[in-house]
Amino acid sequence: MKLIIQIPCYNESETLEIALNDLPKKIDGIDEIEILIINDGSQDNTVEVAKNWGVNYVVNFKRNKGLAKGFMAGLDACLRNGADIIVNTDADNQYVGADIEKLVRPILDGKTDIVIGERPIMTTEHFSPLKKKLQRLGSWVVQKASKSDIPDAPSGFRAYSREAAMQMNVANEYTYTLETIVQAGRNKIAQTSVPIRTNGELRPSRLFSSMFGYVKKSMLTILRAFMMYKPLRFFSVLGGVIFLVGALIGIRFLFFFAQGTGNGHIQSLILSSTLMMIGFQTFVIGLQGDMIAANRKLLEEIQYRVRKMDYDHDLGEIKKENDK
C-alpha cells in the first residue's frame, strides 16, 4: 500500500520545511510514504527547499495557475506514480502531520473513499468570529448541495483512495475543496470526516484577499457545482418562482378586470405574461441542462475508464522497473 502526500506550494520557502518535517515517516498498513509538491509558479526558492529536504516528486508550473489546477495536477502525478492513497495538505503547516494517520485509516479499513479533516473551527484562535460563522454557513450550504454531512467543507486536509481520485474533476479555477465534495455527493462516492488538530498560523491565508471576496467566490463555486450536477432542480425552482410571481400578477389583473377596471391595469397583464414566459423558458433551460448533465455523466464514465487504463499502464511500467 503506497501513500503519496501532495503539497501545493506558492512561494512557501519559509514554511515548507516546517511542514515537511511534521509529516509522518511510518503508518501502520502503509508500506511506502512518498512526498510530492506542486510548485504553482513560485518566485522564491520553494523548489530548492523541497529538493534539499528530499521530496520524491516535484510538479512544476511556470506561472501561477491557482489552487484548483495545482490540486488536479497533483492527483494526476500521484496516480501515475502508483499511489493507492493520496493525502492533500498545506505547505504552511496549518495541519498536524501526525493526523494523516486519522485520515487514511477509514480508507485502509475499507469504510470510505474520501476522508476530510474537520478542524476545531470554533476554538481556533486565529479565526475571527465572522470567519467562523461564514465557515459554518458555507459548510451547511455544501451539505445541502451535496447531500452529505461533511462539517468542514473548506478544509484542504483530506485523503482520497485511488478509485476516488480517478473520478475527480474540478471545473472552477478558485479552489477544489467545495466542488469536489458536491461532485462526490452527487456521484455517490463514499466520503466522511474525522476530527483533526491545527497548528498556529505561520502566515496569513493567500486564498482570498478579503472576507467578502472569499464569500463571493465560495458561493459562486457552490452555485456552479449545483447547476452542473442538478440543473433541472435548480432551473425548475428558479423558473417556478418567476412563473408564480407572474401568475399572481395575472390573478390580480383578472380581479380588477372582473370589477370592470381592467383597462387601468394593462401594464400588469403585460408584466404577468412576460414573467410567465420567462419562467417557462427557464424551466426549458433546466430540461436542456439535465440532458447535458446526463451526457456529462457518460463522459465522466469514459474519462474514468481511460484514466484507469492509463494509470494502470504506468503502474505496470513502474513495477517492471522495480523488478529489474
Side-chain angles (χ1 to χ4, degrees):
M1 184 67 68
K2 184 175 184 178
L3 165 66
I4 297 183
I5 303 170
Q6 70 171 34
I7 309 176
C9 299
Y10 179 59
N11 295 333
E12 303 287 3
S13 60
E14 295 182 1
T15 61
L16 179 58
E17 187 171 0
I18 298 173
L20 290 170
N21 288 334
D22 196 41
L23 298 178
K25 304 298 186 296
K26 184 178 180 181
I27 296 175
D28 289 341
I30 300 292
D31 301 311
E32 297 178 74
I33 299 178
E34 295 182 339
I35 313 298
L36 176 146
I37 72 160
I38 304 102
N39 174 39
D40 193 12
S42 297
Q43 298 174 350
D44 62 2
N45 61 334
T46 294
V47 174
E48 287 75 12
V49 171
K51 289 182 176 179
N52 290 337
W53 188 88
V55 300
N56 302 90
Y57 313 103
V58 176
V59 176
N60 262 313
F61 290 163
K62 293 181 180 179
R63 60 173 296 180
N64 182 260
K65 294 187 177 182
L67 189 58
K69 294 285 187 183
F71 173 77
M72 289 304 299
L75 288 189
D76 178 71
C78 290
L79 290 168
R80 290 189 184 281
N81 285 284
D84 297 296
I85 301 176
I86 301 168
V87 166
N88 188 89
T89 188
D90 285 356
D92 61 356
N93 201 41
Q94 176 185 172
Y95 308 108
V96 177
D99 286 345
I100 287 178
E101 183 169 5
K102 293 183 180 180
L103 290 181
V104 302
R105 186 57 54 193
I107 297 176
L108 288 172
D109 293 341
K111 297 179 179 179
T112 190
D113 286 302
I114 301 175
V115 183
I116 298 172
E118 178 190 353
R119 296 167 294 178
I121 292 176
M122 301 312 294
T123 58
T124 302
E125 295 182 357
H126 61 270
F127 280 8
S128 67
L130 177 59
K131 184 174 181 178
K132 292 176 181 179
K133 292 179 181 179
L134 290 174
Q135 292 273 22
R136 295 186 67 178
L137 174 62
S139 295
W140 179 81
V141 173
V142 171
Q143 287 175 355
K144 297 302 179 184
S146 63
K147 291 187 176 180
S148 69
D149 58 354
I150 303 300
D152 186 10
S155 172
F157 195 43
R158 47 183 67 191
Y160 294 85
S161 70
R162 186 175 180 84
E163 286 296 308
M166 284 192 284
Q167 297 178 62
M168 290 295 101
N169 287 293
V170 179
N172 81 91
E173 296 183 357
Y174 171 55
T175 180
Y176 63 90
T177 55
L178 309 179
E179 184 177 341
T180 50
I181 294 176
V182 176
Q183 180 188 6
R186 293 300 175 180
N187 290 341
K188 301 187 185 304
I189 301 174
Q191 56 184 334
T192 189
S193 64
V194 294
I196 53 140
R197 298 164 290 173
T198 56
N199 295 312
E201 187 178 37
L202 295 180
R203 60 160 177 77
S205 173
R206 295 173 181 165
L207 189 57
F208 56 92
S209 56
S210 67
M211 193 61 64
F212 174 76
Y214 169 73
V215 173
K216 181 182 71 173
K217 289 183 178 180
S218 296
M219 290 300 103
L220 287 175
T221 298
I222 296 169
L223 183 63
R224 182 179 182 182
F226 191 73
M227 288 171 62
M228 286 177 60
Y229 291 95
K230 287 294 178 180
L232 182 58
R233 177 179 297 181
F234 176 83
F235 286 104
S236 294
V237 171
L238 181 60
V241 170
I242 296 173
F243 188 91
L244 179 60
V245 172
L248 292 174
I249 294 175
I251 293 172
R252 177 178 177 272
F253 170 79
L254 292 176
F255 173 77
F256 286 113
F257 182 80
Q259 291 183 330
T261 58
N263 291 336
H265 298 278
I266 298 299
Q267 298 90 338
S268 296
L269 179 61
I270 296 173
L271 179 60
S272 172
S273 301
T274 302
L275 289 175
M276 291 176 71
M277 285 190 293
I278 292 174
F280 178 75
Q281 290 174 341
T282 303
F283 174 72
V284 172
I285 291 173
L287 291 175
Q288 294 174 330
D290 191 57
M291 290 187 288
I292 293 172
N295 187 57
R296 191 195 65 253
K297 288 182 179 179
L298 293 175
L299 292 175
E300 286 181 345
E301 179 64 23
I302 294 171
Q303 182 188 56
Y304 166 74
R305 293 181 182 276
V306 171
R307 281 177 173 175
K308 186 173 178 61
M309 290 188 293
D310 190 18
Y311 295 140
D312 287 352
H313 175 267
D314 288 347
L315 184 58
E317 292 297 321
I318 292 173
K319 289 181 179 179
K320 287 180 181 178
E321 288 294 326
N322 293 336
D323 291 339
K324 289 181 180 180

